[in-house]
Amino acid sequence: MSATSGSSSSQSPPVMASIGDVGALFQTAKKYEELNVIGTGAYGTVYKARDLHNGGQIVAMKKVKVALTEDGIPLSTLREIALLRQLEAYRHPNIVRLLDVCHGGQSLERDHQLILFLVFEHVEQDLDSYLKRAPGPLSENRIRSMSYDILSGVDFLHSHRIVHRDLKPHNLLVTSTGRVKLADFGLAKTYDTEMKLTSVVVTLWYRPPEVLLGISYNTAVDVWSCACVLAQLHTRAPLLQADCDSQQLHCIFRLIGRPPRHEWPENVAIVADSFPDYPPQDLADVLPRIHPHALDMIKGMLVFDPAKRLTALDCLEHPYFTEEPLK
Amino acid sequence: MKDVIDVMALQSNRRERRLVDYRGGPGHSLATNFIFECGIKLGLQPATVATAAIFYHKFFKEADKNDYDCYVICTSCLCAAGKSRDEPVRLRDAVNVAHNSINRGAGPLELGEEYWSWRGAVAQAELLVLRLLGFNLDAPSPHRYLLHYLRSLQEWFPASQWRSAPIARTAMGFLQDFHHSSSILEYRAPHIAVACLTLALHVLGVSVPLAATLDDDAAWYSVFTKDLQKEKNWEIMEKIMQVYSKEPEPI
Ligand SMILES: Nc1ncnc2c1ncn2[C@@H]1O[C@H](COP(=O)(O)OP(=O)(O)O)[C@@H](O)[C@H]1O
Ligand SMILES: [Mg+2]
């Protein structure tokens, strides 16, 4: 047995100083040099940054504010981030790589706030800017392969019991080779408890009726949002644009028809009769020149009853993708 | 087999010695004992306490043991493990349990300066542990594998023989105790579970029914895990036994 006792462990109480020398470790942000802001969403600011420990590789660094509780970091945040780390092990091609998670420390802890830095691979642009910059309509092949990428990513999340909840062009990243990767998911509970960082308005255009009606929802919400995005790949314009919850519902029902009363969910504040009895529109009129298989699949995704909607896996197995090999 | 029988004796010895004086132990020599004692007092599941021990070993794979207060880090590992396995403990309870384990008989910690400095240190340390682990908190639990293997193994034994030997308890004991060693980080969960089981069977002098009818090369545990070589299994068993002969680390 050794007689030396170097550490302070043998004497109690432990002093703050023993843990106070960790400045260097907490200065994690210094590992990355912030270059410029590339995105400001509702909950975080995303910076382009240089990874100084990795040959100056360019990364995307998302800053998220977390309120510390009496018991330290909230359980939900800890679990959400741990799950993102776990997912990372699969290196799914349609999920943005999460390279590192770090946080500022010490001084921030005093005002009971923690700034988390999620470090992602940097992807050229998001789908919103990709579509805005496209010189003309996308080719049928491009649309099909992008649709497949998006649905593969969504199916992957669903198979790990993660609901994205906010699929839209801003949260889909497009690489320089035209592959699509999902971003901005998995922190729903962290966000819920957190005040917004910015005043950016959350868009409703990709929300399914069950969310707008305020009832509980599941993975089917993502399929609805996907359908809106897929339709947008064809027209380069949002499918269902309104600026408040109720207008958004009108917009939806004008397209798919007001659901019959027996399909209207129970325990919802809004009654079916508050909407005119809109007849369903033919989606083919809204999406001219669309491939008939694509049309059929999107129709199956834009179904009012979430239980009757196609799943992401159903979509991946749809003739739209299986009849001809993807290039 | 003499060696192995001794290990068995040590295993129980070690249990009796558990009421340790943490102030007396040099450096980190009692760190994992501390984690287990506090974890049990906090009412955490064995797999959660084991996860805390894993966090501790992982932390000090990266950090220098001289730089941090051992028991503050241990306490924060328990907090982080509790959250990661959805079994959160109150920071306040963790601090009190830790304090009372170190200062035996001292009574509850008053809400004074000492309490707040402990609490602040543990909260900081939790963030530090998370940072150093990069939020990789998914500790594949050998407990789950072991329980599963035990259940299958039980079916192979005549009920009377199974009841006459404490196979499950012995194997679980080895698994728990292996968490005192940082070499647990070097092996995969199913392999660790098999090694604990094999060691328990050896120690108790029990052989697996029908094992003799298997091909020479096939080990009885090949139905549980395909890729564990016999040599590797022995290596892990040796590492487990070393826990019982471990001298407190010189620091
Ligand atoms: N990995 C990345 N590479 C490039 N740009 C990104 C990356 N991640 C996010 N962005 C850009 O930043 C914006 C906001 O990021 P996001 O993660 O969606 O944050 P928020 O939760 O605030 O919406 C995105 O719309 C996108 O334009
Ligand atoms: Mg976003």
Side-chain angles (χ1 to χ4, degrees):
Chain A
M1 190 191 277
S2 157
T4 39
S5 73
S7 131
S8 61
S9 305
S10 46
Q11 276 90 46
S12 104
V15 272
M16 274 295 262
S18 63
I19 206 85
D21 299 332
V22 297
L25 274 161
F26 272 132
Q27 299 297 309
T28 44
K30 283 210 181 123
K31 231 178 106 181
Y32 302 95
E33 181 192 356
E34 282 174 25
L35 298 172
N36 55 286
V37 174
I38 43 176
T40 313
Y43 301 100
T45 308
V46 180
Y47 298 83
K48 192 170 176 172
R50 217 192 289 277
D51 181 350
L52 299 175
H53 288 197
N54 251 324
Q57 182 197 358
I58 297 296
V59 295
M61 200 159 79
K62 181 170 181 171
K63 246 185 203 185
V64 181
K65 226 169 24 169
V66 179
L68 293 172
T69 69
E70 192 173 302
D71 294 308
I73 188 166
L75 175 132
S76 53
T77 298
L78 183 142
R79 287 176 62 90
E80 285 187 328
I81 294 172
L83 180 58
L84 289 180
R85 290 302 254 171
Q86 239 173 294
L87 284 190
E88 188 50 32
Y90 295 86
R91 306 183 68 77
H92 193 279
N94 304 114
I95 300 292
V96 67
R97 294 275 76 77
L98 173 60
L99 306 171
D100 191 12
V101 181
C102 45
H103 52 68
Q106 225 85 80
S107 64
L108 296 158
E109 207 262 338
R110 299 246 158 81
D111 42 300
H112 299 284
Q113 246 183 40
L114 182 72
I115 306 281
L116 273 176
F117 298 92
L118 302 171
V119 182
F120 296 98
E121 67 174 317
H122 182 264
V123 180
E124 180 132 307
Q125 59 186 330
D126 63 32
L127 182 60
D128 186 71
S129 68
Y130 177 88
L131 290 175
K132 282 187 178 133
R133 283 177 201 169
L138 308 186
S139 75
E140 202 172 291
N141 272 325
R142 175 47 47 97
I143 294 175
R144 204 159 68 103
S145 97
M146 287 186 141
S147 302
Y148 192 82
D149 281 354
I150 296 168
L151 286 161
S152 301
V154 171
D155 176 57
F156 173 75
L157 291 187
H158 290 180
S159 67
H160 290 271
R161 282 181 273 149
I162 294 178
V163 184
H164 189 296
R165 307 208 312 179
D166 195 21
L167 279 169
K168 57 184 181 186
H170 275 112
N171 290 336
L172 294 165
L173 305 174
V174 185
T175 70
S176 51
T177 56
R179 303 304 302 268
V180 186
K181 292 176 175 230
L182 273 55
D184 198 12
F185 57 87
L187 293 173
K189 289 185 185 137
T190 297
Y191 289 166
D192 271 354
T193 56
E194 207 25 64
M195 48 263 173
K196 288 185 180 180
L197 269 186
T198 64
S199 55
V200 174
V201 184
V202 181
T203 177
L204 303 170
W205 304 343
Y206 306 87
R207 296 262 155 106
E210 66 271 25
V211 171
L212 295 162
L213 289 168
I215 50 185
S216 72
Y217 55 84
N218 57 20
T219 52
V221 297
D222 289 341
V223 174
W224 179 280
S225 308
C226 264
C228 298
V229 173
L230 266 44
Q232 190 168 350
L233 293 177
H234 291 85
T235 60
R236 289 178 298 140
L239 178 68
L240 300 159
Q241 292 186 66
D243 41 27
C244 69
D245 286 31
S246 99
Q247 282 310 311
Q248 189 68 37
L249 282 164
H250 278 280
C251 205
I252 288 170
F253 296 150
R254 267 193 297 262
L255 180 66
I256 66 168
R258 195 193 72 188
R261 276 193 200 86
H262 69 267
E263 274 194 23
W264 198 258
E266 287 166 29
N267 309 320
V268 211
I270 314 168
V271 293
D273 288 331
S274 59
F275 297 94
D277 192 6
Y278 297 118
Q281 235 181 308
D282 190 349
L283 195 61
D285 297 338
V286 184
L287 303 172
R289 291 183 306 274
I290 188 174
H291 189 290
H293 282 331
L295 182 68
D296 181 69
M297 185 180 80
I298 294 176
K299 268 185 189 162
M301 300 165 80
L302 291 174
V303 172
F304 177 76
D305 181 351
K308 292 186 184 143
R309 233 170 263 162
L310 295 177
T311 66
L313 186 59
D314 291 338
C315 294
L316 293 174
E317 290 168 352
H318 191 277
Y320 178 47
F321 297 120
T322 55
E323 208 143 87
E324 279 175 59
L326 282 156
K327 288 195 187 107
Chain B
M1 205 46 60
K2 166 109 191 3
D3 270 3
V4 188
I5 306 274
D6 282 350
V7 169
M8 184 71 176
L10 277 161
Q11 192 185 19
S12 41
N13 255 341
R14 195 182 176 88
R15 287 239 168 66
E16 286 158 19
R17 286 193 288 123
R18 279 267 167 86
L19 262 188
V20 288
D21 179 5
Y22 294 113
R23 301 204 239 186
H28 285 242
S29 60
L30 298 171
T32 44
N33 298 61
F34 180 77
I35 290 176
F36 276 95
E37 178 175 342
C38 295
I40 290 160
K41 284 180 175 167
L42 287 164
L44 292 169
Q45 299 284 324
T48 304
V49 185
T51 302
I54 298 287
F55 287 180
Y56 167 85
H57 292 305
K58 281 190 177 164
F59 181 85
F60 282 113
K61 224 169 95 174
E62 307 292 326
D64 188 326
K65 288 191 172 169
N66 292 308
D67 288 350
Y68 303 97
D69 185 281
C70 168
Y71 299 128
V72 168
I73 298 293
C74 288
T75 311
S76 70
C77 286
L78 282 164
C79 294
K83 284 178 192 165
S84 81
R85 295 184 40 93
D86 218 355
E87 221 193 327
V89 292
R90 317 270 343 199
L91 190 48
R92 193 200 161 118
D93 296 339
V95 166
N96 272 318
V97 164
H99 180 264
N100 288 335
S101 303
I102 296 170
N103 307 281
R104 296 204 185 279
L109 194 53
E110 307 239 332
L111 288 184
E113 204 181 310
E114 194 186 354
Y115 170 78
W116 288 109
S117 95
W118 248 98
R119 194 187 157 106
V122 172
Q124 278 297 313
E126 183 187 46
L127 292 175
L128 188 60
V129 166
L130 294 174
R131 169 66 193 122
L132 242 67
L133 298 186
F135 282 84
N136 289 307
L137 309 180
D138 179 33
S141 159
H143 288 79
R144 266 190 27 230
Y145 288 95
L146 184 53
L147 282 173
H148 172 69
Y149 299 162
L150 281 166
R151 221 168 287 139
S152 311
L153 200 61
Q154 183 172 7
E155 318 237 304
W156 303 357
F157 279 90
S160 59
Q161 194 189 353
W162 183 261
R163 258 182 277 118
S164 67
I167 298 171
R169 194 154 44 83
T170 310
M172 276 295 178
F174 284 133
L175 176 55
Q176 207 72 341
D177 287 347
F178 193 27
H179 283 82
H180 289 291
S181 163
S182 62
S183 22
I184 195 165
L185 299 182
E186 292 160 29
Y187 304 101
R188 294 181 41 223
H191 294 176
I192 294 170
V194 165
C196 291
L197 197 47
T198 317
L199 190 55
L201 293 169
H202 279 305
V203 165
L204 298 167
V206 176
S207 53
V208 177
L210 307 180
T213 66
L214 290 168
D215 305 341
D216 249 7
D217 282 344
W220 55 268
Y221 50 79
S222 58
V223 293
F224 298 143
T225 174
K226 290 267 173 295
D227 56 351
L228 177 60
Q229 308 300 323
K230 281 185 172 158
E231 297 71 36
K232 184 70 147 216
N233 195 21
W234 274 109
E235 181 187 314
I236 305 176
M237 287 192 272
E238 256 161 46
K239 293 276 172 74
I240 298 173
M241 291 192 281
Q242 279 167 18
V243 170
Y244 302 99
S245 54
K246 196 177 83 180
E247 283 289 308
E249 288 171 57
I251 291 230

